[in-house]
Amino acid sequence: MEKYNLSSSSRNIRNKSQNEFEMNGSNTTETKSNAQNLNGRITRFLMFCISVSVIGAAFQVGWAIGVYNTPVDVIKDFFNQTNFDRNKEYMSQSRFDLLWSVTNGLLPLGAAFGGISSGLIADKFGRKNGMILTNIFVIICGILNLISKFVKSYETLIVARFFCGLFCGLFTGILPLYLNELPPQNYRGSAGTLNQLLIVLGILITNIMGLRDILGSEQRWPILVTFMLVPALAHIGLFFAAESPKYLYIKKNNPELARETLKRLRGNDENLINAEMKLLQDEKIAMDSQKEVSWGDLFTVPSLRHPLIIAVCIHIAQQFSGINAVIFYSTKIFISVGLKDQWPLYATILLGVVQLIMTLVCTYFIEKKGRKFLLLIGIGGMCLSSFGIGLSRIFSANAQWLNYVTVVFAVLYIIFFSIGPGAIPWIITSELFKSNARAKANSIAVFVNWTSAFIVTVSFQFIEAAIGDYSFIVFGCILIFSTLFMLFFVPETKNRTSDEISEGFEHQTIFLLNDNKVIPKANSIN
């Protein structure tokens, strides 16, 4: 394996980063100075670029995830009625369960394929153009959804679900890159949380729109599943938005266009523009002195492998926390406390409102408290809540009041998930890598995330059938290990440049407890 050779300029950057990591945290004068030099404000053009990107991408993902939640009975009736019209008999329960599992499972499966392709598309076409091209799959999915009832074919819905997964995977791979590279450093985390915020908002609104009295009726559900084309129109604004300055400088080797783009994004803040251009120049010099990062390098070069392990484990922890199981079970637990008719659905919608509010809380605190702090609070709280859900369900047969306790723990679980684990994995993955490896590493993390979602979605009903109420105890045990991993191995990336973070991995190979001190190699992941 060819070693990464750094030029003298790159070595200066590395030495500077080394000194900062050896000092006691971001409280040093030098670190504060560096952070301040890269701090900026939200300009109108920056807000426009971020808004059109997240509405057309993240909101779209949320809509796709939640579109079958509330009108599920009407969609199921369509499957059965279509089979009756063809064969003069309704489906057997086993055949229907298989088709419905395939329909739901194709979204995360397609998203896994989209996710692994996102890095290639983001590097070849750019972050902005990559999202524009992804809308091809949105249009295909929308057309298939629209014609399904008129051609009396549930197969078109199944195929549409796969294309739906493709654009979900591509958006969740490309959008975090764009949100990481567009704003100034002090708004990087807040911009990143907008990804999860708009996903949650998309799920919430589609759950409301899917109520029978709105678009979830037998006559109107084709409008609901096709409505996805409306938020996609926001991406028309991308034709007038900025490409990532970092992509223009590092990947396209166009510093003049990068500077012009920064001027539009940063307004008249020449000091900030010059500081960012200097940072991009230093990173470009370092990149030119190294060989191109290949897919294999991510697994064989220690300074790339270690952050990749961290990123992948964070995404696995997010999905294997049981979040989809809690959302899946939410309607049941509301029924268990006596809610009837449409009220369990209304309560589930209220749960979505709570998730939206707490994601806003994450957006506010992420630059104040940092990524790692919110991850630990979130994962730890989810762990306790998961055990609470499991134990209250196990003993509820002997005490009916424990059903209400289950509801409380389910709400707490959603709150803790929204505080950190919901949004931060998408942010921190992009922050752990330099530009030459960021897109590839991000695509691997997205692939792992959606593959994990597929496994949990498909297997949960079998786990529930096998061990019943103890399934949430299993999730609680997984969350114990996840909490310990976050505590010992995840670095804090707040107010640190990609150079500082990456160079820290080159020197100490892994971060433990105190993220700012060099740790002996004996503590590293090999």
Side-chain angles (χ1 to χ4, degrees):
M1 175 62 61
E2 180 183 348
K3 294 184 69 176
Y4 282 62
N5 297 315
L6 299 176
S7 66
S8 59
S9 174
S10 175
R11 292 180 188 279
N12 291 335
I13 300 169
R14 187 174 67 180
N15 291 336
K16 175 183 174 184
S17 176
Q18 169 74 359
N19 292 334
E20 289 175 353
F21 273 91
E22 288 177 344
M23 290 182 178
N24 189 19
S26 58
N27 294 324
T28 64
T29 302
E30 183 178 3
T31 304
K32 283 184 178 181
S33 175
N34 289 338
Q36 183 63 38
N37 288 339
L38 295 173
N39 287 350
R41 61 186 177 87
I42 297 293
T43 62
R44 290 182 180 179
F45 183 63
L46 175 60
M47 182 59 71
F48 167 76
C49 296
I50 291 175
S51 298
V52 297
S53 64
V54 296
I55 293 172
F59 185 88
Q60 189 75 270
V61 172
W63 187 278
I65 292 172
V67 71
Y68 284 174
N69 286 357
T70 42
V72 57
D73 291 335
V74 175
I75 305 292
K76 288 180 177 180
D77 288 343
F78 170 69
F79 274 62
N80 256 325
Q81 187 61 46
T82 300
N83 191 77
F84 182 84
D85 292 341
R86 292 176 183 175
N87 306 313
K88 304 305 178 186
E89 63 179 5
Y90 291 109
M91 291 183 187
S92 65
Q93 188 62 43
S94 59
R95 174 174 167 77
F96 174 77
D97 289 342
L98 175 62
L99 283 175
W100 193 244
S101 296
V102 169
T103 303
N104 287 320
L106 279 177
L107 186 140
L109 184 63
F113 284 103
I116 201 65
S117 306
S118 62
L120 176 64
I121 292 175
D123 276 349
K124 184 174 180 60
F125 299 102
R127 284 54 165 145
K128 182 184 79 168
N129 291 333
M131 287 189 284
I132 292 173
L133 289 173
T134 299
N135 283 284
I136 294 173
F137 297 116
V138 177
I139 294 171
I140 294 173
C141 181
I143 293 173
L144 289 174
N145 282 330
L146 178 64
I147 67 173
S148 57
K149 183 177 181 180
F150 301 103
V151 300
K152 297 183 178 180
S153 170
Y154 55 75
E155 290 85 358
T156 58
L157 285 179
I158 296 175
V159 175
R161 205 64 176 155
F162 180 76
F163 281 103
C164 187
L166 282 177
F167 74 69
C168 284
L170 287 166
F171 279 145
T172 52
I174 300 172
L175 179 62
L177 297 175
Y178 191 66
L179 296 178
N180 174 267
E181 297 173 355
L182 213 65
Q185 182 172 276
N186 57 315
Y187 285 106
R188 194 176 61 195
S190 298
T193 59
L194 291 178
N195 179 33
Q196 181 67 15
L197 180 67
L198 267 291
I199 289 176
V200 172
L201 182 62
I203 294 173
L204 175 61
I205 292 181
T206 191
N207 282 342
I208 295 172
M209 299 285 282
L211 292 173
R212 189 177 295 272
D213 293 335
I214 305 178
L215 292 180
S217 66
E218 183 179 351
Q219 294 77 27
R220 293 189 293 269
W221 69 260
I223 300 174
L224 177 71
V225 295
T226 310
F227 193 81
M228 58 191 301
L229 295 176
V230 175
L233 294 175
H235 272 178
I236 294 175
L238 283 178
F239 288 99
F240 309 98
E243 180 55 272
S244 157
K246 180 168 284 193
Y247 173 80
L248 294 173
Y249 199 121
I250 305 296
K251 291 293 184 180
K252 302 302 290 183
N253 196 26
N254 194 336
E256 292 82 9
L257 185 56
R259 175 176 281 277
E260 289 301 315
T261 302
L262 278 174
K263 285 182 179 179
R264 298 182 68 195
L265 291 169
R266 306 292 182 257
N268 297 318
D269 194 341
E270 285 295 328
N271 290 332
L272 176 58
I273 294 170
N274 291 334
E276 290 197 42
M277 285 298 295
K278 179 62 169 62
L279 197 67
L280 292 175
Q281 181 185 30
D282 290 341
E283 186 172 348
K284 177 64 174 173
I285 292 172
M287 296 302 100
D288 289 344
S289 67
Q290 302 171 185
K291 73 181 185 68
E292 181 71 20
V293 172
S294 67
W295 289 95
D297 291 335
L298 290 169
F299 300 95
T300 57
V301 177
S303 60
L304 296 174
R305 182 175 67 242
H306 296 149
L308 181 65
I309 291 173
I310 290 172
V312 165
C313 287
I314 291 174
H315 281 274
I316 290 175
Q318 184 200 61
Q319 290 299 327
F320 278 88
S321 66
I323 179 61
N324 288 326
V326 172
I327 293 175
F328 170 81
Y329 185 70
S330 61
T331 302
K332 289 184 179 180
I333 63 177
F334 288 129
I335 292 174
S336 70
V337 298
L339 296 181
K340 298 178 181 179
D341 301 324
Q342 291 279 78
W343 285 104
L345 295 178
Y346 295 147
T348 301
I349 290 172
L350 182 61
L351 205 61
V353 174
V354 172
Q355 187 175 6
L356 179 67
I357 294 172
M358 295 312 299
T359 305
L360 281 169
V361 171
C362 176
T363 303
Y364 177 77
F365 280 108
I366 191 167
E367 295 297 354
K368 296 179 180 295
K369 298 297 183 180
R371 286 66 155 148
K372 182 172 182 175
F373 176 81
L374 293 181
L375 269 178
L376 282 172
I377 293 296
I379 291 287
M382 290 168 68
C383 178
L384 295 176
S385 301
S386 187
F387 280 115
I389 293 171
L391 291 173
S392 60
R393 288 180 67 193
I394 290 169
F395 296 105
S396 62
N398 300 321
Q400 289 296 315
W401 61 269
L402 284 174
N403 286 325
Y404 296 94
V405 176
T406 304
V407 172
V408 172
F409 278 117
V411 173
L412 287 174
Y413 185 101
I414 294 296
I415 288 174
F416 283 115
F417 175 80
S418 304
I419 285 176
I424 292 176
W426 307 104
I427 300 169
I428 203 169
T429 302
S430 297
E431 294 179 332
L432 290 174
F433 298 90
K434 293 183 181 180
S435 297
N436 62 338
R438 183 175 295 135
K440 290 185 176 70
N442 202 62
S443 64
I444 292 173
V446 174
F447 172 79
V448 169
N449 186 287
W450 283 105
T451 301
S452 300
F454 172 75
I455 293 171
V456 173
T457 300
V458 172
S459 64
F460 176 69
Q461 59 180 332
F462 301 106
I463 296 173
E464 186 82 356
I467 61 177
D469 297 335
Y470 288 90
S471 57
F472 286 95
I473 302 297
V474 173
F475 290 131
C477 293
I478 293 173
L479 284 164
I480 290 176
F481 290 103
S482 299
T483 304
L484 293 174
F485 184 86
M486 304 298 169
L487 177 64
F488 287 105
F489 297 114
V490 176
E492 180 55 72
T493 59
K494 179 174 74 78
N495 286 337
R496 289 177 177 171
T497 67
S498 58
D499 277 322
E500 292 168 349
I501 296 166
S502 297
E503 299 297 341
F505 279 112
E506 287 191 14
H507 286 285
Q508 63 191 71
T509 70
I510 202 68
F511 296 82
L512 292 175
L513 289 179
N514 186 340
D515 304 318
N516 306 288
K517 294 182 179 180
V518 177
I519 304 299
K521 288 187 177 181
N523 292 329
S524 66
I525 295 177
N526 296 313

